[in-house]
Amino acid sequence: MNKLELDMNTIMASTVHDVKNALSLIDDQIRDVMAEVEQASPEGAAYLNRIRLETGRINNDLVHMLGLYRMHHNTFHPSFDDVPVEEVVQDASSRYTESLAALGIELNIEMEDRDCVWYMDPALIESVLANILTNCIRYTKDRVDVQVAERDGGLSIRVIDNGEGYPEKMLNFMGTEDEQGDVNFQTGSTGLGLFFCYQIASLHRNGKQHGTIKLSNDDQGGASFELWLP
Amino acid sequence: MGLDLSDSLNKHVLLVDDFANVRKSIKSMITSIGLRNVFEAAHGNEATRIVREQKLDIVMCDYNLEKGKNGSQLLEEWRKRGWLSHETIFVMITAETSRDRVMGTLEFQPDDYLAKPFAMDTLKQRLVRWMDRQEELRPVNAALDKGNWAEVAKMCRDLIKSKSRYRSWAQRKYHQALLKLDRLEDATKFLGIVLKEREYPWARLEVHRIQVARKELPKAEKGLRNLINKEPNLIDAYDLLAQVQNMLKQPEHVQHTLEQALERSPLSIPRQRSLAKVATGNGDLATATRAYKEVVNLCEGTMHDAPDVYKDALRATRTRMALETNEAQRRRLRLDAMTYLKKLMKNFPDDTDADLVSRAYRSFLNDPQDTRARADGFIKELAQKASRKMEELSQDSAVDIAEIIYEKGENELADELIDKLRDYHRSSKAFLERLNQVQTEPTTTAESREKAHHMNIQGIEHYKKKRYTEAVGQFEEALELSPRHPGIILNLVQSSLLEVGTGSPTKQRLDQCVELVKRLSYLPRDHYQYDRYLTIRSKLNDLTDGAVIAQ
C-alpha cells in the first residue's frame, strides 16, 4: 500500500467516524425534543421521527461507502466467528425500537431455534439487516417480520413487510443492465445499499458455497428480503 | 429473552473511561435502567485497585485510556495475574470505525464489544445478554478460576452436547482443557469433528499446535504457512509459526514472521521484544533498535515494564552506535539512549543492578550536563561498586558494564572486574567463555570481528607459505580492528620473529613484540591460547633478557 492510499483510508475512516458522531448527537437531541413535544403535537413528533429515520439512512450510507472503499482497496478485514443469530438480529433491530413504536409498526422476530449459532461477521450482518430494516420502515404499512431458520444447509434470515412490495425492476437487480432498469445497483442509494448487502453476503463462504441475497414479493404482497449464509 | 432486569439490580458494574463526562452519561444510563452499584475509574491504576478490591459482575472499559494506554493492556494484566474472575464480564467500549483495525487482532479478547455512541435500548439489551451469559457459564467460569481443567472439560462437553448458544466458546475452552490435561489424542479427535463441520481457522491452528507439541515441525511449518496465506489476520498463527521456525533454527525466518505479525498487530509488547531479540541475533541492528524503541514506548505503566526492557534497548542502541558512520543518525541514537537511561533511572531507583548499569551508561553517553559522570574517579567508583555487588548484578549487566569500562579506555579497571566476575561465576562455563570474549575483544563490533577474522586467516596462509612479511602486514591490519585478540597477537609476534630469517631481530622489532605480548597479561589460564602464549613469552624473554616480566 502506498502512502497516499494509506492516508486516504485514514481520511475516509476519520471522516465517517466524525460524521457518525455528529449524527448520533443530532439523533439524541431530536429524541429529547420528540419526548417533549409528543403530548402537545403528535404530528410534530411524527415529523421528527421521519428526520430520525433519515439520520439512520445517512449513517448506513456512510458505513456502505467506507466498507465498499475498503473492499476495493483490499483493506477490508471481516472477522468471522460463530455467533448467536438472535443477538445479531436484536442488535440490528434495537436501533429502531423507538422509531417503530412512534410509527405504530409492529416488529416480530421469529426464530426456529433461539439458540441458533452461525458463522459470520456479526458487525457486517448487523449492518445488512439494519439497512434492510430502514427500507422496510419506510415502505411498510404497519408490520415487519423477521424470520430466522436453517434452509438448504444454510442460515436464512428473511425480513418481510406488508407494504406494496418491491417494484418489478428491483426484483431483477442482479440481472442484466436492461433488466435492472433504473435500479442498476451501481447507482442510487437503494442500489448502493443492495450492492453492499450482496457483497457482504458473498464474503461469507463455506467450502465452495457463498452467501447471497434474494428479493421477492410475498404472497400477501409485501416485500421480502432474504439473506442466506452457508 | 425479556428485558427483565429485576434480578440483576444489585449487580456491580465498573466503568473505566478517562473522560468524566463520558463516565457520567453512561453511568446515568445504567442507573436509569435500575442498577445501583456503579464504580467509576478514570485511569488504569484506579481501575486495577477496584478490580482487586471488589467483586464485580461487569467491567465496561474504554479502549483508549490515558497517555496512550489501552483497555486491552488492563485486561491482559488482570487475566494474567488472576485479578479478574472469569465470572466477571469484560466489555470493551470502542469507537466503531477502529474496531476492525485494532480489535480483531488483540491477544486478550473481551467477552463483548460495545461500539460508542450507543443508545439506551442497546445498553439495556446488552446488560440482559451479559447477565444471561454470566448465569449460564457461571460453573465453567468458577472452574476456570480454580484452574480445574478436568471440571472445565466436562462442563464444556455438556454445553456442546446441549447445543447451548455458547457452544462455540465452549468448544475452544474444551480444547484448551484437553491440552492442559495433556490429552492430545482426544484433542486431535475433537478438532477433527469440529473441522468436519466447517474449516474453522482457530481449529486448524490448534491442529498445528498439537503437531508442534509432537515435534512434527516441518509438517506444522508448512501447514501454518498455508493457514496464514488464507487467514492473514490470524495473528496467533504467526506466533506459533515463529516458534516453530525458532525450533528449526531459522532465525531469519523467525524475524520475517514476527515482522509480518507486527505489521497487523503492532501493539503486542512480548512480540516486539521477540523481534528485537531475534533481529539482534541476526545482526539487523536497525530493526532491533526500532523494535526496542517501540517496546519502550508501549511498556511504561504496563505489566511489561521492567529494567531489562531499558537495558536491552540501551545495549542494542550502543552496539548500533559503534557501527553507525552517519553522524546525524548517531546523534538520534544517542538521544534515544538518553531517553532509555532516564526512564531506567526514574522507574527503578531502588534496583541495584539498574543503578550500576545506569552509571555505566551515564559515563558512556558522556552528557555535558552530567558533571558527576564526567568527573575523575567516576568509572573507578563504578568498577569497585560492581565488584562489591556481584551477587546483585545480572550477567548481561556485568558484561555491559565491563564493555563500557573498556570503551572508556580503563582496561586495567575492566580487567580487574572481569577477574572478579570470573571467580564469582566460575561454575558457569558459558558465562566464562563470554567473559573471555569480552576481555579479548571488548570494543570490537561484530563486523570488525568478522573482518579481523578474515585477515587473520589470510595472514596464516602467508605464514604457512613462509611469506612472513606479507603475514606480518595482514596480522597488523587485523590487530587494528581487534587490538586484544590473543590469536592475532601471537600470530603477529611469531611471524615478526621469523620475518628476519636466521638473523636476530632488531631492538625496535623486539620492543614492539614485547609490547604486544604484554597486552596478553590478562589471559586466563584456561584460555585455549594460554600454552602457546607461555611458549612465545618465554622465547621472547630469552631474546630480551626477561623484558616480558613473568607473572
Side-chain angles (χ1 to χ4, degrees), chain B residues 144-175:
Chain B
L144 278 169
D145 276 349
K146 285 193 212 114
N148 186 344
W149 292 104
E151 202 50 21
V152 172
K154 191 174 153 291
M155 286 188 287
C156 284
R157 209 182 43 204
D158 291 346
L159 283 170
I160 297 165
K161 266 194 187 150
S162 68
K163 290 202 168 270
S164 152
R165 68 168 59 195
Y166 308 111
R167 60 182 175 270
S168 98
W169 178 88
Q171 282 180 335
R172 282 168 227 212
K173 290 290 167 201
Y174 179 61
H175 169 74

CSV table of all heavy atoms in Angstrom, one decimal, chain B residues 144-175:
chain,number,residue,atom,x,y,z
B,144,LEU,N,-12.7,-22.4,35.8
B,144,LEU,CA,-11.6,-21.8,35.2
B,144,LEU,C,-10.8,-21.0,36.2
B,144,LEU,O,-9.6,-21.0,36.2
B,144,LEU,CB,-12.1,-20.9,34.1
B,144,LEU,CG,-12.4,-21.5,32.7
B,144,LEU,CD1,-13.1,-20.5,31.8
B,144,LEU,CD2,-11.1,-22.0,32.0
B,145,ASP,N,-11.5,-20.3,37.1
B,145,ASP,CA,-10.8,-19.5,38.1
B,145,ASP,C,-10.0,-20.4,39.0
B,145,ASP,O,-8.9,-20.1,39.4
B,145,ASP,CB,-11.8,-18.8,39.0
B,145,ASP,CG,-12.3,-17.5,38.4
B,145,ASP,OD1,-11.7,-17.0,37.5
B,145,ASP,OD2,-13.3,-16.9,38.9
B,146,LYS,N,-10.5,-21.6,39.2
B,146,LYS,CA,-9.7,-22.6,40.1
B,146,LYS,C,-8.7,-23.3,39.3
B,146,LYS,O,-7.9,-24.1,39.9
B,146,LYS,CB,-10.7,-23.6,40.7
B,146,LYS,CG,-11.6,-23.0,41.8
B,146,LYS,CD,-12.3,-24.1,42.6
B,146,LYS,CE,-13.6,-23.6,43.2
B,146,LYS,NZ,-14.7,-24.3,42.6
B,147,GLY,N,-8.7,-23.2,38.0
B,147,GLY,CA,-7.8,-24.0,37.2
B,147,GLY,C,-8.1,-25.5,37.2
B,147,GLY,O,-7.2,-26.3,36.9
B,148,ASN,N,-9.3,-25.8,37.5
B,148,ASN,CA,-9.8,-27.2,37.5
B,148,ASN,C,-10.1,-27.6,36.1
B,148,ASN,O,-11.3,-27.6,35.7
B,148,ASN,CB,-10.9,-27.3,38.4
B,148,ASN,CG,-11.3,-28.8,38.6
B,148,ASN,OD1,-10.9,-29.6,37.8
B,148,ASN,ND2,-12.1,-29.1,39.7
B,149,TRP,N,-9.2,-28.0,35.3
B,149,TRP,CA,-9.4,-28.3,33.9
B,149,TRP,C,-10.2,-29.5,33.6
B,149,TRP,O,-11.0,-29.5,32.6
B,149,TRP,CB,-8.0,-28.4,33.1
B,149,TRP,CG,-7.3,-27.0,33.1
B,149,TRP,CD1,-6.3,-26.7,33.9
B,149,TRP,CD2,-7.7,-25.9,32.3
B,149,TRP,NE1,-5.9,-25.4,33.6
B,149,TRP,CE2,-6.8,-24.9,32.7
B,149,TRP,CE3,-8.7,-25.6,31.4
B,149,TRP,CZ2,-6.9,-23.6,32.1
B,149,TRP,CZ3,-8.8,-24.4,30.8
B,149,TRP,CH2,-7.9,-23.4,31.2
B,150,ALA,N,-10.2,-30.5,34.5
B,150,ALA,CA,-11.0,-31.7,34.3
B,150,ALA,C,-12.5,-31.3,34.3
B,150,ALA,O,-13.3,-31.7,33.5
B,150,ALA,CB,-10.7,-32.7,35.3
B,151,GLU,N,-12.7,-30.4,35.3
B,151,GLU,CA,-14.1,-29.9,35.5
B,151,GLU,C,-14.5,-29.1,34.3
B,151,GLU,O,-15.6,-29.2,33.8
B,151,GLU,CB,-14.1,-29.1,36.8
B,151,GLU,CG,-15.3,-28.8,37.6
B,151,GLU,CD,-16.2,-30.0,37.9
B,151,GLU,OE1,-15.7,-31.2,37.9
B,151,GLU,OE2,-17.3,-29.7,38.1
B,152,VAL,N,-13.6,-28.2,33.8
B,152,VAL,CA,-13.9,-27.4,32.7
B,152,VAL,C,-14.2,-28.2,31.5
B,152,VAL,O,-15.2,-28.0,30.8
B,152,VAL,CB,-12.7,-26.5,32.3
B,152,VAL,CG1,-12.9,-25.7,31.0
B,152,VAL,CG2,-12.4,-25.5,33.5
B,153,ALA,N,-13.4,-29.3,31.3
B,153,ALA,CA,-13.7,-30.1,30.1
B,153,ALA,C,-15.0,-30.8,30.2
B,153,ALA,O,-15.8,-30.8,29.2
B,153,ALA,CB,-12.6,-31.2,30.0
B,154,LYS,N,-15.4,-31.3,31.3
B,154,LYS,CA,-16.6,-32.0,31.5
B,154,LYS,C,-17.8,-31.0,31.2
B,154,LYS,O,-18.7,-31.4,30.5
B,154,LYS,CB,-16.7,-32.5,32.9
B,154,LYS,CG,-17.8,-33.5,33.2
B,154,LYS,CD,-17.7,-34.1,34.6
B,154,LYS,CE,-19.1,-34.5,35.1
B,154,LYS,NZ,-20.0,-33.4,35.4
B,155,MET,N,-17.8,-29.8,31.8
B,155,MET,CA,-18.9,-28.9,31.7
B,155,MET,C,-19.0,-28.4,30.3
B,155,MET,O,-20.1,-28.2,29.8
B,155,MET,CB,-18.8,-27.8,32.7
B,155,MET,CG,-19.1,-28.3,34.1
B,155,MET,SD,-19.2,-27.0,35.3
B,155,MET,CE,-17.5,-26.6,35.6
B,156,CYS,N,-17.8,-28.1,29.6
B,156,CYS,CA,-17.9,-27.6,28.3
B,156,CYS,C,-18.5,-28.7,27.3
B,156,CYS,O,-19.2,-28.4,26.4
B,156,CYS,CB,-16.5,-27.2,27.8
B,156,CYS,SG,-16.0,-25.7,28.5
B,157,ARG,N,-18.1,-30.0,27.6
B,157,ARG,CA,-18.7,-31.0,26.7
B,157,ARG,C,-20.2,-31.0,26.8
B,157,ARG,O,-20.9,-31.2,25.8
B,157,ARG,CB,-18.1,-32.4,27.1
B,157,ARG,CG,-18.0,-33.3,25.9
B,157,ARG,CD,-17.5,-34.7,26.3
B,157,ARG,NE,-18.1,-35.1,27.6
B,157,ARG,CZ,-17.5,-36.0,28.4
B,157,ARG,NH1,-16.4,-36.5,28.1
B,157,ARG,NH2,-18.1,-36.3,29.5
B,158,ASP,N,-20.7,-30.8,28.1
B,158,ASP,CA,-22.1,-30.8,28.2
B,158,ASP,C,-22.8,-29.6,27.5
B,158,ASP,O,-23.8,-29.7,26.9
B,158,ASP,CB,-22.5,-30.6,29.7
B,158,ASP,CG,-22.2,-31.9,30.5
B,158,ASP,OD1,-21.9,-33.0,29.8
B,158,ASP,OD2,-22.1,-31.9,31.7
B,159,LEU,N,-22.1,-28.4,27.5
B,159,LEU,CA,-22.6,-27.2,26.8
B,159,LEU,C,-22.7,-27.5,25.3
B,159,LEU,O,-23.6,-27.1,24.6
B,159,LEU,CB,-21.7,-26.0,27.1
B,159,LEU,CG,-21.9,-25.3,28.4
B,159,LEU,CD1,-20.8,-24.3,28.6
B,159,LEU,CD2,-23.2,-24.6,28.5
B,160,ILE,N,-21.7,-28.2,24.8
B,160,ILE,CA,-21.6,-28.5,23.4
B,160,ILE,C,-22.7,-29.5,23.0
B,160,ILE,O,-23.5,-29.3,22.0
B,160,ILE,CB,-20.2,-29.1,23.0
B,160,ILE,CG1,-19.1,-28.1,23.2
B,160,ILE,CG2,-20.2,-29.5,21.5
B,160,ILE,CD1,-17.7,-28.6,23.2
B,161,LYS,N,-22.9,-30.5,23.8
B,161,LYS,CA,-23.9,-31.5,23.6
B,161,LYS,C,-25.3,-30.9,23.6
B,161,LYS,O,-26.2,-31.3,22.8
B,161,LYS,CB,-23.8,-32.6,24.7
B,161,LYS,CG,-23.0,-33.8,24.2
B,161,LYS,CD,-23.2,-35.0,25.1
B,161,LYS,CE,-22.3,-36.1,24.8
B,161,LYS,NZ,-22.0,-36.9,26.0
B,162,SER,N,-25.5,-30.0,24.6
B,162,SER,CA,-26.9,-29.5,24.8
B,162,SER,C,-27.2,-28.3,23.7
B,162,SER,O,-28.2,-27.7,23.8
B,162,SER,CB,-27.1,-28.9,26.2
B,162,SER,OG,-26.3,-27.8,26.4
B,163,LYS,N,-26.2,-28.1,22.8
B,163,LYS,CA,-26.4,-27.1,21.8
B,163,LYS,C,-26.6,-25.7,22.4
B,163,LYS,O,-27.5,-25.0,21.9
B,163,LYS,CB,-27.4,-27.5,20.8
B,163,LYS,CG,-27.0,-28.6,19.9
B,163,LYS,CD,-27.8,-28.7,18.6
B,163,LYS,CE,-27.3,-29.7,17.6
B,163,LYS,NZ,-26.3,-29.1,16.7
B,164,SER,N,-25.9,-25.4,23.5
B,164,SER,CA,-26.1,-24.1,24.1
B,164,SER,C,-25.6,-23.0,23.1
B,164,SER,O,-24.8,-23.3,22.2
B,164,SER,CB,-25.1,-24.0,25.3
B,164,SER,OG,-24.7,-22.7,25.5
B,165,ARG,N,-26.2,-21.8,23.2
B,165,ARG,CA,-25.8,-20.7,22.3
B,165,ARG,C,-24.3,-20.3,22.6
B,165,ARG,O,-23.7,-19.6,21.8
B,165,ARG,CB,-26.7,-19.5,22.4
B,165,ARG,CG,-26.6,-18.8,23.7
B,165,ARG,CD,-27.3,-17.5,23.6
B,165,ARG,NE,-28.7,-17.7,23.2
B,165,ARG,CZ,-29.5,-16.7,22.8
B,165,ARG,NH1,-29.0,-15.5,22.7
B,165,ARG,NH2,-30.7,-16.9,22.5
B,166,TYR,N,-23.7,-20.8,23.7
B,166,TYR,CA,-22.3,-20.5,24.0
B,166,TYR,C,-21.4,-21.7,23.6
B,166,TYR,O,-20.3,-21.8,24.0
B,166,TYR,CB,-22.1,-20.2,25.5
B,166,TYR,CG,-23.1,-19.1,25.9
B,166,TYR,CD1,-24.2,-19.4,26.8
B,166,TYR,CD2,-23.0,-17.8,25.4
B,166,TYR,CE1,-25.0,-18.4,27.2
B,166,TYR,CE2,-23.9,-16.8,25.8
B,166,TYR,CZ,-24.9,-17.1,26.7
B,166,TYR,OH,-25.8,-16.1,27.0
B,167,ARG,N,-21.9,-22.6,22.7
B,167,ARG,CA,-21.2,-23.8,22.4
B,167,ARG,C,-19.9,-23.5,21.6
B,167,ARG,O,-18.9,-24.2,21.8
B,167,ARG,CB,-22.1,-24.8,21.6
B,167,ARG,CG,-22.6,-24.3,20.3
B,167,ARG,CD,-23.5,-25.4,19.7
B,167,ARG,NE,-24.1,-25.0,18.5
B,167,ARG,CZ,-25.3,-24.5,18.4
B,167,ARG,NH1,-26.0,-24.2,19.5
B,167,ARG,NH2,-25.8,-24.1,17.2
B,168,SER,N,-19.8,-22.4,20.9
B,168,SER,CA,-18.6,-22.2,20.1
B,168,SER,C,-17.5,-21.7,21.1
B,168,SER,O,-16.3,-22.1,21.0
B,168,SER,CB,-18.8,-21.2,19.0
B,168,SER,OG,-18.4,-19.9,19.3
B,169,TRP,N,-17.9,-21.0,22.1
B,169,TRP,CA,-17.0,-20.6,23.2
B,169,TRP,C,-16.6,-21.9,24.0
B,169,TRP,O,-15.4,-22.1,24.3
B,169,TRP,CB,-17.7,-19.6,24.2
B,169,TRP,CG,-16.9,-19.2,25.4
B,169,TRP,CD1,-16.1,-18.2,25.5
B,169,TRP,CD2,-17.0,-19.8,26.7
B,169,TRP,NE1,-15.5,-18.1,26.8
B,169,TRP,CE2,-16.1,-19.1,27.5
B,169,TRP,CE3,-17.7,-20.9,27.2
B,169,TRP,CZ2,-15.9,-19.4,28.9
B,169,TRP,CZ3,-17.5,-21.3,28.6
B,169,TRP,CH2,-16.6,-20.5,29.4
B,170,ALA,N,-17.6,-22.7,24.2
B,170,ALA,CA,-17.3,-24.0,24.9
B,170,ALA,C,-16.4,-24.9,24.2
B,170,ALA,O,-15.5,-25.6,24.8
B,170,ALA,CB,-18.6,-24.7,25.2
B,171,GLN,N,-16.5,-24.9,22.8
B,171,GLN,CA,-15.6,-25.8,22.0
B,171,GLN,C,-14.1,-25.4,22.3
B,171,GLN,O,-13.3,-26.2,22.4
B,171,GLN,CB,-15.9,-25.6,20.5
B,171,GLN,CG,-17.1,-26.3,20.1
B,171,GLN,CD,-17.4,-26.1,18.6
B,171,GLN,OE1,-17.0,-25.1,18.0
B,171,GLN,NE2,-18.1,-27.0,18.0
B,172,ARG,N,-13.9,-24.1,22.3
B,172,ARG,CA,-12.5,-23.6,22.4
B,172,ARG,C,-12.0,-23.9,23.8
B,172,ARG,O,-10.8,-24.3,24.0
B,172,ARG,CB,-12.4,-22.1,22.2
B,172,ARG,CG,-12.4,-21.8,20.7
B,172,ARG,CD,-12.6,-20.4,20.4
B,172,ARG,NE,-13.6,-20.3,19.4
B,172,ARG,CZ,-13.7,-19.3,18.4
B,172,ARG,NH1,-12.8,-18.4,18.5
B,172,ARG,NH2,-14.6,-19.3,17.5
B,173,LYS,N,-12.8,-23.7,24.8
B,173,LYS,CA,-12.4,-24.0,26.2
B,173,LYS,C,-12.2,-25.5,26.4
B,173,LYS,O,-11.3,-25.9,27.1
B,173,LYS,CB,-13.5,-23.4,27.2
B,173,LYS,CG,-13.5,-21.9,27.3
B,173,LYS,CD,-12.3,-21.3,28.0
B,173,LYS,CE,-12.2,-19.8,27.7
B,173,LYS,NZ,-10.9,-19.3,27.9
B,174,TYR,N,-13.1,-26.3,25.8
B,174,TYR,CA,-12.9,-27.7,25.9
B,174,TYR,C,-11.6,-28.1,25.3
B,174,TYR,O,-10.8,-28.9,26.0
B,174,TYR,CB,-14.1,-28.4,25.1
B,174,TYR,CG,-14.0,-29.9,25.1
B,174,TYR,CD1,-14.1,-30.6,26.3
B,174,TYR,CD2,-13.9,-30.6,23.9
B,174,TYR,CE1,-14.1,-32.0,26.4
B,174,TYR,CE2,-13.9,-32.0,24.0
B,174,TYR,CZ,-14.0,-32.7,25.2
B,174,TYR,OH,-13.9,-34.0,25.2
B,175,HIS,N,-11.3,-27.6,24.1
B,175,HIS,CA,-10.0,-28.0,23.5
B,175,HIS,C,-8.8,-27.5,24.4
B,175,HIS,O,-7.9,-28.3,24.6
B,175,HIS,CB,-9.9,-27.3,22.2
B,175,HIS,CG,-8.5,-27.4,21.6
B,175,HIS,ND1,-8.0,-28.5,21.1
B,175,HIS,CD2,-7.5,-26.4,21.5
B,175,HIS,CE1,-6.7,-28.3,20.7
B,175,HIS,NE2,-6.4,-27.0,20.9
